[in-house]
Amino acid sequence: MNKEEYMNLALSLAESAAYQTSPNPPVGAVVVKDGQILGMGAHLKAGEAHAEVNALKQAGDAAQGADIYVTLEPCAHFGKTPPCADLIIDRGLRRVFIAAVDPNPLVGGKGIEKLKEAGIEVETGICERRAHELLTPFFHFIQTKRPYVTIKTAVTADGKTAAHTGHSRWITGEAAREDVHLLRSRHDAILTGIGTVLLDNPLLTSRLPQGGKNPIRILLDTHLRVPLDFHIVQNKEAKTIIFCASDAQTKKQRALEEEGVTVLRLPHMSIDAVLDELGKMNIMTLFVEAGAEMNASFLDIGAFNRLIMYMAPKLIGGKSAPSSFGGLGGSSMDEALDLAFVSMEQIGPDLKIVMEKR
């Protein structure tokens, strides 16, 4: 096997735990000596052993003089676990191959510098593109202190999200809806607005045949209008956090808190303020399932990173039928937000189109 093949193996290990390490990055490591794999490991959960630790533990004493392939620069600082760079030095490894350099100010080249000072050969940039695709949400979170935001929408072939009456069940087929539940399980939190809740009374959980993590439910409800008997309040499978205005009724807040809901008052209700607060909670990835006006609020300030659109082979027509993004919108095509197509696949009868901001 060559360097790229070993690194791709490390990346596959990282991807296997990619949605359960938040707010830490998913990392994989492979220890190799004389063409033989001595140990492999992945970081499985924040606060637990890092990938390098798991791989070196498996390699044992044979790690002396070996190479290690790691998908992200080894840490050089004390967090919940000791620095991995120190462990690599102590175990006497000869070379370290790294896919991506860590943008975390606590790391930012310091791990590489420490390894080189110890006489260890370091090479970076192996399979860097694949590593960056995996690590993009972590890099965004570290650099902005805000979650990486994905907006999901389902539309007909003519771009409608509902009939002019508001009826929208179901635009897409069962396979696409199950894929949405999978996406929910891969995010730290899911956000919606009070309009969507009052219209649909959604559970906002990950109901997968094989089970899956439920994201924290985030509701933007300026005046605390959510009924106490709605799923988002009564269902205890996931935590619910409601953001409201500072002048929202105190009695309703107490009633919601008695049901186990967290209510947070903001001096000024805005998407920016909510994202700042979510960042402080170490929410790294946010999935937005909301209506046209809420989506427009994210669009107006460019506060999203990825758009996932499920398109059904249906036509409903109607100039009054809503689309994915409401609001006034731009006055010319020059004001349109440029996106880049990432992928497109057919799921059942529907298309899943993934786009990112340029």
Side-chain angles (χ1 to χ4, degrees), residues 73-130:
E73 176 184 358
C75 58
H77 66 285
F78 281 89
K80 293 183 178 179
T81 58
C84 290
D86 289 356
L87 177 64
I88 291 170
I89 294 167
D90 292 343
R91 296 296 296 275
L93 274 83
R94 185 168 68 97
R95 295 184 298 183
V96 178
F97 297 96
I98 299 168
V101 177
D102 197 331
N104 187 338
L106 293 172
V107 182
K110 295 175 185 175
I112 293 172
E113 183 181 346
K114 181 177 281 193
L115 293 169
K116 287 182 175 178
E117 287 176 353
I120 295 174
E121 183 181 335
V122 178
E123 184 177 337
T124 63
I126 303 163
C127 303
E128 186 175 24
R129 181 175 178 180
R130 182 179 172 187

Side-chain angles (χ1 to χ4, degrees), residues 149-155 161 191-193 196 220 271 287-304 306-309 322-328 337:
V149 177
T150 297
I151 293 178
K152 166 260 168 181
T153 185
V155 300
T161 58
L191 180 146
T192 196
T196 297
L220 306 193
I271 298 299
F287 194 55
V288 177
E289 279 195 68
E293 296 309 313
M294 181 67 70
N295 289 345
S297 297
F298 279 88
L299 174 61
D300 288 345
I301 59 172
F304 72 97
R306 177 170 286 200
L307 173 65
I308 298 180
M309 178 178 289
S323 60
S324 299
F325 292 85
L328 184 61
L337 181 66

Side-chain angles (χ1 to χ4, degrees), residues 1-16 27-43 50-60 62-63 65-72 74 88 93-99 126 130:
M1 292 174 69
N2 59 33
K3 290 185 290 187
E4 285 73 21
E5 288 173 318
Y6 286 126
M7 188 61 79
N8 275 314
L9 176 56
L11 282 162
S12 293
L13 290 167
E15 288 165 353
S16 69
V27 180
V30 177
V31 179
V32 180
K33 187 177 183 180
D34 298 327
Q36 292 189 345
I37 295 173
L38 304 179
M40 300 186 295
H43 178 49
H50 287 187
E52 300 95 319
V53 175
N54 289 327
L56 287 167
K57 182 179 180 180
Q58 194 176 90
D67 300 334
I68 187 168
Y69 292 80
V70 61
T71 57
L72 183 64
I88 291 170
L93 274 83
R94 185 168 68 97
R95 295 184 298 183
V96 178
F97 297 96
I98 299 168
I126 303 163
R130 182 179 172 187

Side-chain angles (χ1 to χ4, degrees), residues 17-28:
Y19 309 105
Q20 60 189 49
T21 63
S22 184
N24 289 356
V27 180

